[in-house]
Amino acid sequence: MENKKASPANIMALERTKLANERTFLAYLRTFIVFFSSGFAILKIEVLDNLTILAYLFIATAILLLVFGTVRFIHVRKRITRYLQ
């Protein structure tokens, strides 16, 4: 629920902030997909058997990025919502 005393400029600024938060989360998601698929591809390609440590590092990094991006998205969304109340 938006504050009735908020000016149109403030409301638009909050909307831009919400959209920026979503774009940032999508960037984390894209990065997760690239790291995870790269690690998975390295594991599946037989020629790259000597790079299995790198593959597992990519997969672990991907999971950490997804968790961090999700937590950050939720935290910022809660702060925006708290500001609106």
Side-chain angles (χ1 to χ4, degrees), residues 10-27:
N10 286 343
I11 293 171
M12 290 178 68
L14 285 170
E15 287 300 318
R16 284 192 302 270
T17 304
K18 288 179 189 177
L19 293 172
N21 189 34
E22 291 175 10
R23 281 192 308 271
T24 303
F25 176 70
L26 291 174

Side-chain angles (χ1 to χ4, degrees), residues 8-80:
N10 286 343
I11 293 171
M12 290 178 68
L14 285 170
E15 287 300 318
R16 284 192 302 270
T17 304
K18 288 179 189 177
L19 293 172
N21 189 34
E22 291 175 10
R23 281 192 308 271
T24 303
F25 176 70
L26 291 174
Y28 277 109
L29 189 61
R30 280 192 310 268
T31 308
F32 159 77
I33 291 170
V34 169
F35 272 77
F36 190 80
S37 62
S38 297
F40 188 74
I42 291 171
L43 287 176
K44 291 297 177 183
I45 297 175
E46 292 178 11
V47 177
L48 302 175
D49 279 342
N50 57 342
L51 297 176
T52 54
I53 294 173
L54 181 65
Y56 288 121
L57 182 66
F58 277 175
I59 292 171
T61 303
I63 293 169
L64 289 174
L65 278 169
L66 182 63
V67 169
F68 180 77
T70 304
V71 169
R72 184 188 177 285
F73 173 75
I74 292 169
H75 175 73
V76 171
R77 187 177 64 186
K78 283 182 182 179
R79 288 190 69 185
I80 293 169

